[in-house]
Amino acid sequence: MKTKKLALYTGVAVIVLGAGATTLAIQANEPTESSTSEATADTSRPAITIYKSPSCSCCQSWVEHLDANDFETTVVKTDNINEIKQQYDVPREMASCHTALIGDVVIEGHVPADDIVAYLENPQFNTLGLSVPGMVQGSPGMETGKKEDYQVIAFRANGQQSVFREHNDY
């Protein structure tokens, strides 16, 4: 009788231990909320360095636009912005009031944050970056109440360019 009870207890213990081990193995393969939130927390914001004149308020408004759209901004004030443009091969016809860098990508002027993100996700072949040439009313940082249609241009160092996005009826 003792042998039967021992065999029964041993059998039950093996089943319980096996079920517990199986449950742990299944749980180990399933993502948990904490690992998902950790993965989300590891996603970094795009870091952008903006070169601008110390006295330009529209440039500062564009920086605030980027901050509000989850960019990690660093501002470098300079009295010689043209030197920065030359250093990073910004063609004269693409020039605006500030120049920014995300790695080796050049962002010239009041380019909307969404356009920057789209370009970073799918950069055009052999381009240096994006530009909104000039000082377009209604572009981010240039919200004066007047809105002009404008284009965001992908450009190359040799001056070649193509329209990346158009902003009309906004």
Side-chain angles (χ1 to χ4, degrees), residues 21-74:
T22 302
T23 302
L24 288 174
I26 291 170
Q27 287 177 344
N29 290 327
E30 290 180 359
T32 62
E33 282 186 39
S34 62
S35 66
T36 303
S37 62
E38 286 174 21
T40 303
D42 289 342
T43 304
S44 62
R45 299 168 24 181
I48 186 167
T49 301
I50 302 107
Y51 296 88
K52 69 176 223 56
S53 165
S55 60
C56 187
S57 62
C58 70
C59 295
Q60 186 56 43
S61 295
W62 185 69
V63 170
E64 292 166 8
H65 164 75
L66 295 178
D67 284 333
N69 284 278
D70 293 327
F71 280 78
E72 183 179 325
T73 58
T74 301

Side-chain angles (χ1 to χ4, degrees), residues 4 7 16 30 35 56 67 73-74 79 83-84 126 131 135 148 151 160 162 166-167:
K4 286 184 181 179
V16 169
E30 290 180 359
S35 66
C56 187
D67 284 333
T73 58
T74 301
D79 289 322
E83 185 178 289
I84 302 297
N126 205 25
S131 175
M135 308 281 287
E148 300 172 332
Q151 296 176 329
Q160 289 182 330
S162 59
E166 292 192 59
H167 293 271

